[in-house]
Amino acid sequence: MASQLQLQWRFLIIIPLLLLQLSKLTISKREQVPTPPLPILPLPSFSQLKWHQRELIMFLHFGVNTFTDSEWGTGHENPAIFNPVGLNAGQWVSTAAEAGVSLMILTAKHHDGFCLWPSKYTDHSVIASPWKNGAGDVIEELVNAAKEHKGIDIGLYLSPWDRHDRRYGHDLVYNEYYLAQLQELLNKYGSVREIWFDGAKGENAPNMSYYFSDWFGMVNELQSSINIFSDAGPDVRWVGNENGFAGKTCWSLINRTSLSIGEGTIVDYLNTGDPRGTDWVPAECDVSLRQGWFWHKSQSPKKLSTLLQIYYNSVGRNCVLLLNVPPNSTGLISQNDVQRLKQFRAAIDTIFSTNLAEKCLIKVSSQRGGKNGGFGAENLVDNDHLWTYWVPREKKGSWVEIRCDGGLRFNVIRIQEAIGLGQRIQRHEIYVDGKSVAEGSTVGYKRLHRLEGGVVYGEKIRFEFMESRDVPVISSLGLHFDPFWNPN
């Protein structure tokens, strides 16, 4: 009996010890899994990461200028001219969706001061127009239409320059008026994903100080997941021109202390960013589908070749393309604009739907954590372009080789960094069968090289990452064929 009790006690003691040893072995194995590299500051916020992934967003310039054939209204227009009898915000949203757009930014108020919503702080709005007998609300119609199309978000532009309101030029009272309207927009229409500010102002406009810090503070208080756009950010910066072109070097990094809204001398700095920048403020490239920003009967949409060139020089240079598509005086996006946008989206899909590199053997200079470390070459051709990635051990001189027996025919090369860990690459070169075909500096979320020499054919494509702020972290590589590109 005593021996049985002794055995039972021994089992009671031994079993927990065995379990403890097993748990230690399990913990030990877990500890052997290689960790990701440290991020390199500054980093994008959650909302900024979402913004990067949009790639193509839409501007809608609409208002009294649509009915006066103007670009900048005088502020003295009679609201009675605003009467878009066929306005259909659902058509706007479906056009955006078919174009692959996930964010639509509407001019809630342009420089003329006319408000597309029934603001209680002014009568210079849709209230005084014949449209829907003064009971209409363009913003509400757009918001409601977007709710029916999952994946379409709304943004708003509220012009600081107001050529109508008599308070303009009187700092305190006008800033109070502007802030009151800002609160209206951000309280009334649900989630707003981007709010657009600029410093545009005519040479003869009254002197006026905008309380941007107060405005930005209010925006962040009312909307937690919004991005604020202006020349100086804080979340998204202007690219420095209205051609839709970023610099060949384009950092998401910049020093906000070097920026000021409406300062025309900083456009080169805005265009390129700063490798020593302390703030993550990526660039947005604004350009219109037509010559003007508002609809004009005499104008037509840009050619497909022009739009593709803009795409490569914006999205392909680490930016988001903000393409303006102005509704006409009927209240619809014109049919020739709709068709051009469909062509544009079809062309993008044709070029990038197939990654020729997926079928090839990929070799790398080294891999963090060894062969089974989780940061290998296989991550370069998967569908996650943000949180799976290849990481070499070396900071400089790392390389990737794509080898394909029988060769590949392509004219576009794509590189993407895992920007959730920071922007790193400073210089890179690409070779096909030993011949240089492309070189560049920054990469960021996406870098596209449309080869200047046209189509190349080769079996070994080598990417060399010459310089980097820290060890490169590459999320995706792609080889593509663009049938619309013929440099000759």
Side-chain angles (χ1 to χ4, degrees):
M1 185 72 178
S3 61
Q4 286 181 345
L5 287 172
Q6 288 175 346
L7 284 171
Q8 288 175 349
W9 278 109
R10 286 175 183 174
F11 277 118
L12 288 172
I13 294 169
I14 290 169
I15 289 172
L17 289 172
L18 288 171
L19 291 172
L20 180 63
Q21 292 300 317
L22 286 170
S23 67
K24 286 181 178 180
L25 286 171
T26 303
I27 292 170
S28 177
K29 286 181 180 179
R30 286 177 182 171
E31 288 175 347
Q32 290 173 6
V33 175
T35 58
L38 284 173
I40 180 169
L41 301 177
L43 298 177
S45 68
F46 177 85
S47 296
Q48 287 172 322
L49 278 178
K50 173 67 175 177
W51 175 90
H52 278 282
Q53 291 174 294
R54 294 185 189 277
E55 297 193 2
L56 175 63
I57 60 179
M58 185 181 287
F59 222 161
L60 298 162
H61 275 66
F62 188 56
V64 291
N65 293 348
T66 308
F67 299 85
T68 61
D69 203 30
S70 303
E71 283 292 298
W72 278 9
T74 64
H76 301 296
E77 293 85 1
N78 187 336
I81 65 172
F82 184 81
N83 192 21
V85 293
L87 191 145
N88 183 351
Q91 187 249 8
W92 302 358
V93 172
S94 61
T95 299
E98 289 176 357
V101 168
S102 63
L103 174 66
M104 303 173 73
I105 302 175
L106 177 65
T107 54
K109 182 187 79 168
H110 205 252
H111 310 324
D112 49 76
F114 181 80
C115 300
L116 294 182
W117 82 102
S119 174
K120 62 185 179 183
Y121 299 105
T122 181
D123 290 330
H124 195 60
S125 74
V126 287
I127 293 173
S129 78
W131 178 59
K132 295 197 171 184
N133 297 316
D137 185 336
V138 180
I139 299 175
E140 185 175 63
E141 298 219 3
L142 179 59
V143 168
N144 289 340
K147 288 177 181 176
E148 297 180 11
H149 276 264
K150 191 175 181 181
I152 300 289
D153 294 320
I154 298 301
L156 296 170
Y157 167 52
L158 187 67
S159 171
W161 183 28
D162 190 320
R163 305 187 76 180
H164 173 81
D165 198 276
R166 293 180 180 179
R167 285 165 284 200
Y168 191 85
H170 303 279
D171 287 359
L172 178 60
V173 292
Y174 180 74
N175 275 277
E176 288 178 341
Y177 167 63
Y178 186 94
L179 196 58
Q181 291 197 317
L182 195 59
Q183 291 179 73
E184 270 189 319
L185 294 173
L186 297 180
N187 278 323
K188 184 178 180 181
Y189 298 104
S191 180
V192 176
R193 296 300 186 182
E194 185 166 329
I195 187 80
W196 227 79
F197 299 98
D198 65 6
K201 187 164 62 174
E203 292 181 2
N204 297 322
N207 289 328
M208 180 78 215
S209 295
Y210 302 136
Y211 298 174
F212 282 114
S213 295
D214 295 336
W215 300 355
F216 294 170
M218 179 60 69
V219 168
N220 285 319
E221 180 181 339
L222 297 176
Q223 298 266 354
S224 61
S225 57
I226 199 169
N227 284 317
I228 299 173
F229 169 96
S230 81
D231 295 356
D235 302 308
V236 179
R237 75 179 192 263
W238 184 43
V239 77
N241 62 66
E242 294 182 345
N243 303 320
F245 281 31
K248 290 183 179 179
T249 294
C250 191
W251 292 96
S252 293
L253 285 54
I254 208 159
N255 283 318
R256 288 195 59 221
T257 55
S258 302
L259 305 178
S260 59
I261 301 173
E263 176 56 62
T265 61
I266 60 170
V267 292
D268 290 340
Y269 188 56
L270 290 169
N271 199 241
T272 61
D274 189 340
R276 292 174 294 279
T278 55
D279 305 290
W280 188 281
V281 189
E284 189 170 276
C285 299
D286 57 321
V287 65
S288 189
L289 181 66
R290 293 165 166 245
Q291 181 182 345
W293 290 91
F294 285 87
W295 176 81
H296 303 282
K297 188 176 182 179
S298 61
Q299 295 180 2
S300 300
K302 290 179 169 66
K303 295 178 180 179
L304 176 61
S305 59
T306 302
L307 292 177
L308 285 172
Q309 183 184 23
I310 291 169
Y311 182 87
Y312 281 107
N313 289 328
S314 55
V315 176
R317 292 180 179 176
N318 186 40
C319 297
V320 166
L321 172 57
L322 175 58
L323 183 62
N324 179 64
V325 183
N328 61 29
S329 56
T330 303
L332 300 171
I333 294 175
S334 297
Q335 198 56 39
N336 53 351
D337 292 0
V338 173
Q339 290 303 119
R340 187 53 43 82
L341 288 170
K342 286 182 178 179
Q343 291 175 354
F344 186 34
R345 172 44 56 186
I348 293 170
D349 290 344
T350 296
I351 298 165
F352 296 104
S353 60
T354 300
N355 182 3
L356 300 171
E358 290 180 359
K359 301 176 181 179
C360 303
L361 174 68
I362 303 178
K363 292 190 175 182
V364 294
S365 55
S366 65
Q367 177 181 330
R368 182 183 179 90
K371 186 176 180 181
N372 299 314
F375 304 107
E378 67 277 3
N379 295 331
L380 294 171
V381 289
D382 66 9
N383 293 323
D384 188 334
H385 298 166
L386 204 57
W387 293 115
T388 65
Y389 38 82
W390 163 67
V391 185
R393 289 192 296 269
E394 60 273 7
K395 179 178 175 180
K396 293 184 179 181
S398 57
W399 52 263
V400 176
E401 277 190 358
I402 298 175
R403 298 181 183 182
C404 192
D405 292 338
L408 293 174
R409 182 173 175 267
F410 60 94
N411 55 7
V412 175
I413 298 171
R414 174 176 53 84
I415 313 174
Q416 296 187 241
E417 287 186 79
I419 59 170
L421 295 174
Q423 188 177 354
R424 299 161 181 255
I425 296 169
Q426 294 172 298
R427 188 163 68 90
H428 63 281
E429 298 176 358
I430 305 166
Y431 298 85
V432 176
D433 292 340
K435 180 181 178 182
S436 175
V437 296
E439 61 180 348
S441 51
T442 51
V443 172
Y445 178 72
K446 181 174 287 188
R447 181 64 186 264
L448 299 174
H449 290 283
R450 186 167 63 166
L451 302 183
E452 295 179 0
V455 175
V456 297
Y457 184 88
E459 294 189 354
K460 185 171 73 174
I461 299 90
R462 183 179 175 95
F463 297 77
E464 295 189 358
F465 301 101
M466 318 298 289
E467 295 180 30
S468 181
R469 293 173 66 229
D470 206 325
V471 58
V473 181
I474 310 299
S475 61
S476 187
L477 294 178
L479 303 175
H480 307 277
F481 177 69
D482 180 349
F484 309 95
W485 172 237
N486 183 5
N488 299 318

